[in-house]
Amino acid sequence: MPDTLAANPFTADAVTRPAVEKTGRRPDFWIGYSGETITGPEVADFLDATRVVLEKTGWTRSYTDNDPEIPEPDESLSIKAMLLTLWRYAREALGQEGPLTLTYGMYRVDNNDAKRVADRVLDALVAAYTGTPTAQATAWAERKNRTWGEVRDLLTAGVDLARTHGPR
């Protein structure tokens, strides 16, 4: 069985070094929505929990909107009825069992503060990996031909980066 860390391209020094540098350039990098510092271990636990959720429910690159079960809008409905129908569909979509995208997998782990910082950690890794400073991990995960193995490697590297280099 191959060593997962050695095979993980996100753990290569050429990726982790610039990603760690990016975390130090922004004074607010480790600050969550609450305005409080989110510790590295808290972010690592969040990313690890996201990985577990996606392993249990399955991962998908993206969702398609061509579901034949969803009826066409009924223009004779009142605005209130339309909004209630839309609300029901949204609730069903958010409550689906799987497979889930990276974004929805992160929402399943209920910690908005850690999610905000975890997004930054993953973005820093993808930016360093792609060599593009504005890369976003969720968009990267939705690219055609992306695999669960690649997304899992990203999450694993995020756990390591946060635990090793995040604040205590």
Side-chain angles (χ1 to χ4, degrees), residues 8-145:
N8 185 340
F10 292 101
T11 60
D13 191 48
V15 173
T16 56
R17 191 175 354 94
V20 169
E21 287 172 8
K22 187 171 187 172
T23 70
R25 281 194 298 266
R26 284 186 59 189
D28 65 340
F29 190 93
W30 297 96
I31 304 294
Y33 286 118
S34 67
E36 297 179 21
T37 298
I38 309 304
T39 68
E42 187 177 356
V43 173
D45 290 346
F46 176 87
L47 289 169
D48 198 42
T50 298
R51 182 192 51 76
V52 168
V53 164
L54 292 174
E55 283 177 345
K56 285 183 180 178
T57 63
W59 170 81
T60 187
R61 181 182 58 76
S62 67
Y63 298 118
T64 58
D65 61 355
N66 58 357
D67 186 347
E69 299 292 316
I70 298 176
E72 289 298 315
D74 181 355
E75 294 180 24
S76 68
L77 292 174
S78 69
I79 290 178
K80 179 180 179 182
M82 283 185 208
L83 288 174
L84 287 172
T85 301
L86 179 62
W87 176 252
R88 276 191 221 93
Y89 287 136
R91 204 168 66 199
E92 284 176 23
L94 290 173
Q96 83 177 43
E97 293 303 313
L100 301 172
T101 63
L102 175 59
T103 300
Y104 282 112
M106 292 176 84
Y107 280 120
R108 283 286 175 90
V109 181
D110 192 21
N111 185 338
N112 273 334
D113 262 2
K115 182 191 178 306
R116 182 173 193 181
V117 179
D119 279 331
R120 290 181 186 143
V121 167
L122 297 181
D123 289 350
L125 284 165
V126 170
Y129 178 71
T130 62
T132 308
T134 58
Q136 292 182 321
T138 53
W140 175 88
E142 292 173 359
R143 296 286 298 162
K144 270 194 173 159
N145 302 321

